[in-house]
Amino acid sequence: MQEQWVFLAVIALLVVGVAGGGIWARRAYRRLSDRHQSLVVVHEFVQQATVTASVREQARGLLLRTRQLLRAGRLELIVFDYHDFGDRHIRIGANDAYASTAVSGVGDRLLDRVMDTGEPMLLARGTQDVEARQWLQARGARDALAVALPSSTRGCIVLLDRLDGDTFTDDDLTMVQTLASHLVMSLRGSRLVEQLTHDATHDALTGLGNRTFLSQRVETVLSGPGQVPEAAVLLLDLDKFKEVNDAFGHHVGDALLREVATRLVTTVGDLGTVSRLGGDEFAVLVVGREATDAAPTLAHNILEALGRPISLVDAVVTTQASIGIGLAGPDLSEADVLRHADTAMYAAKEGPDPVVVYGEHLERGRTERMRLLADLHIALERDEIKVLYQPQLDLRTNAIHSVEALARWEHPVLGWVSPEVFVPLAESSGLIEQLTHQVLDQALAQARRWQDDGLDLAVAVNLSPHNVNTMRLVEDVASALARAGVPADRLVLEITESSVMADPDRAVSLLQRLVDLGVTLSLDDFGTGYSSLAYLQRLPVSEVKIDKAFVMGLADPEQAHASAVLIRSILTLSANLGLEVVAEGVEDAQTLELLRSGGCDLIQGYHLSKPVPADRVAAVVERHGGREAVRVPGPRSHLSAVNEDGTLGRHLA
Ligand code: C2E
Ligand code: CA
Ligand code: CA
């Protein structure tokens, strides 16, 4: 029934729209000719509905118009749960007096029936129906009609007291139904416009203003009165947010961002306006001389507020952030100020001080980064990335059967650049795929050469999270193995948990395909970041590498206990899951013996050998039992050597 009238209204629009042109339209028009008047009315009505008006203005205008069109003495609109209207009872009386009150329910049997069934109600003048008469009497009306609002909106429009001596007819009823659907549609339309305007300048997650909002604000301030406007933009970027997001999932990441937003707003108070620029980037705009002078202090207060532990669904995290401050100045545009804040923020991220105020000297650091990136590009093009190999000692056989491939870059001017510098650079610029492929190809070609020399060594290659999220990984690895002529079981791929957390299901199935190829997977840097032991079970890895921070911690009196506890739990867990354990960062004999007595399977570290060029690997292998040594997985005795208090062996008991 309702759909029919919406349909009719659409036809009506068409008819008016084409001004009688077209046979179809004319036929439709004839069919509806007796309602000619009504169509004109609908057309006028729709034209009145301008999408630019606010929802409330719109509703008011449409309702006033409806009362006039239907020549009713009074009109009532009852809506439930309608967006920001909530539950409303709007009454329009004679002289267009408009009253809007909150309503909790109708408590009216007849109107409830209209809303429940969608059937309209027509109470004509002089009706004999007892309930109808009582209803009219209670409202002091002679006649009335009521129609439900269409579709999902619960509510109704009631018209009371037809003016000019007539009474409401079926035609009026259908007319009101048509108007009701237009009312709802156009309210939705203007609601949408309001929503869109708000959305365009606000962040849905935190409700804060967004980048556009900030830019507009800064521009307003800069173009304001006064010769040199006093304003500062604090640009804040959370450190390691990605790790939280990857490790715990987006819902936890979102919760963290909301909490950060709340803390920012509370800390900043009246001093400024907080916006979220996207991701984990926030900004605070402070205006006025005092505020700009206070900007660095405010920045430190913010860091302190963010440093307090934040309880999330599955975890408690502490966030650290870096803040860059850009100041308004003569001849600076809005874009300049934001760019300065951005440059300062990068300097804060890289330097020792988490708060940095922009100064011209900072431009150099940025330029250097860009230059280094350009050079890395060239180095990759020219195959200038070298690979060193760090041997791993199998404690069960006391022999070396594997090496880890580690990338090295000798910059023509800067000399050796650490992978801690160029790997992140490659990761952030899309060069990582190329880097990984080059290291993989070199390492496999080298493995082939060792095989040919009678040296059976497996090589471990590091994968970046980005690599694991690349669809072609399996194909690329398979073809690299084929090119080098190396069996898949001589390749170990080292992944980190953050590679997996972004999209665990996809990553797990991709990793499984690598395992199906015959490749061994190793979980690198285990114990750092947001390692989740629960996840370990799901991953098709057969080895975990205890992060060197803990291994090196064993030799440090202050950290020995904590490190031993962690290593113990990794060893226990790995034994239960049937995983091999590699400890890296073994720098002395005592640590090696501790790990051996704890049941660790393999060690890697300066004590055995630093990463060395390929041609020096054989010498290290010779020193440790030579080429004949066979790799025999020994009995797993982790638990026996781990003390109850978490210490390893007898040494730390
Ligand atoms: P990682 O994968 O944890 O590699 C182990 C790092 O520990 C290496 O640093 C190695 O030289 C160092 N190391 C080994 N034994 C000891 C020790 O006894 N004491 C100390 N203090 N350090 C030790 P490196 O070569 O500087 O590499 C640093 C990181 O750069 C690597 O950490 C890895 O995350 C990354 N990386 C290196 N090469 C590649 C690569 O080809 N691809 C990717 N994606 N990342 C790489
Ligand atoms: Ca590694
Ligand atoms: Ca590692």
Side-chain angles (χ1 to χ4, degrees), residues 477-493:
V477 168
S479 60
L481 284 166
R483 259 200 310 278
V486 172
D489 66 356
R490 303 285 80 189
L491 176 64
V492 179
L493 290 174

Side-chain angles (χ1 to χ4, degrees), residues 145-172:
L145 67 79
V147 300
L149 295 180
S151 66
S152 55
T153 315
R154 183 172 168 82
C156 61
I157 292 182
V158 187
L159 291 172
L160 299 152
D161 281 334
R162 169 77 180 219
L163 301 174
D164 62 26
D166 255 336
T167 190
F168 293 117
T169 63
D170 279 341
D171 274 355
D172 293 330

Side-chain angles (χ1 to χ4, degrees), residues 41 62-77 91-97 122-123 125 140-146 157-169 172-173 175-176 179:
V41 165
L62 294 179
L63 291 173
L64 292 177
R65 186 97 185 108
T66 306
R67 187 185 75 81
Q68 289 164 6
L69 289 174
L70 272 294
R71 296 192 290 278
R74 288 175 281 153
L75 176 148
E76 295 184 17
L77 169 74
R91 293 182 182 81
I92 293 178
N95 310 323
D96 291 344
L122 177 61
L123 307 181
R125 197 174 284 197
R142 289 186 302 270
D143 49 3
L145 67 79
I157 292 182
V158 187
L159 291 172
L160 299 152
D161 281 334
R162 169 77 180 219
L163 301 174
D164 62 26
D166 255 336
T167 190
F168 293 117
T169 63
D172 293 330
L173 203 69
M175 175 73 102
V176 177
L179 297 185

Side-chain angles (χ1 to χ4, degrees), residues 404 462 494 524 545:
E404 176 176 4
N462 290 283
E494 296 193 3
D524 203 359
K545 292 185 84 168

Side-chain angles (χ1 to χ4, degrees), residues 274-507:
V274 183
S275 2
R276 177 175 171 230
L277 307 188
D280 56 349
E281 230 180 60
F282 293 84
V284 181
L285 170 66
V286 293
V287 181
R289 168 171 279 283
E290 271 168 42
T292 46
D293 287 349
T297 317
L298 177 62
H300 283 287
N301 291 345
I302 288 173
L303 293 183
E304 199 185 297
L306 295 183
R308 288 195 295 273
I310 297 176
S311 296
L312 300 171
V313 190
D314 298 323
V316 176
V317 298
T318 48
T319 47
Q320 283 171 348
S322 311
I323 299 182
I325 302 176
L327 297 171
D331 302 330
L332 288 184
S333 70
E334 159 262 339
D336 293 333
V337 177
L338 294 184
R339 191 169 41 77
H340 287 177
D342 194 59
T343 305
M345 199 268 291
Y346 268 100
K349 258 199 180 322
E350 278 158 20
D353 194 345
V355 176
V356 172
V357 181
Y358 175 81
E360 239 160 63
H361 64 284
L362 296 179
E363 296 292 355
R364 254 173 286 134
R366 196 185 177 85
T367 322
E368 267 163 30
R369 212 181 110 88
M370 299 309 284
R371 199 173 295 153
L372 201 61
L373 184 61
D375 292 345
L376 179 62
H377 205 105
I378 295 169
L380 283 166
E381 288 303 315
R382 297 187 186 157
D383 280 333
E384 282 174 5
I385 300 296
K386 299 276 171 290
V387 179
L388 294 188
Y389 300 89
Q390 188 174 35
Q392 300 178 328
L393 180 69
D394 191 319
L395 297 176
R396 297 159 299 189
T397 59
N398 252 330
I400 293 164
H401 318 283
S402 52
V403 294
E404 176 176 4
L406 292 158
R408 292 291 180 268
W409 175 26
E410 189 177 8
H411 188 277
V413 180
L414 304 171
W416 291 106
V417 182
S418 163
E420 313 268 14
V421 173
F422 71 81
V423 171
L425 200 60
E427 279 171 339
S428 65
S429 60
L431 293 176
I432 191 67
E433 248 183 282
Q434 215 179 336
L435 175 69
T436 306
H437 286 150
Q438 292 193 8
V439 173
L440 185 66
D441 277 337
Q442 286 189 54
L444 288 174
Q446 186 55 51
R448 179 70 259 160
R449 256 172 261 137
W450 281 323
Q451 299 275 318
D452 294 343
D453 291 350
L455 200 59
D456 186 15
L457 290 172
V459 285
V461 172
N462 290 283
L463 292 186
S464 280
H466 180 83
N467 300 132
V468 178
N469 291 298
T470 307
M471 255 323 181
R472 288 199 339 266
L473 179 66
V474 184
E475 290 72 17
D476 288 346
V477 168
S479 60
L481 284 166
R483 259 200 310 278
V486 172
D489 66 356
R490 303 285 80 189
L491 176 64
V492 179
L493 290 174
E494 296 193 3
I495 56 164
T496 55
E497 280 163 300
S498 45
S499 314
V500 180
M501 304 293 179
D503 187 350
D505 292 335
R506 218 184 67 115

Side-chain angles (χ1 to χ4, degrees), residues 523-545:
L523 194 58
D524 203 359
D525 302 341
F526 195 70
T528 59
Y530 300 91
S531 297
S532 124
L533 300 178
Y535 254 109
L536 196 49
Q537 223 165 338
R538 285 189 58 196
L539 296 179
V541 297
S542 44
E543 179 183 282
V544 294
K545 292 185 84 168

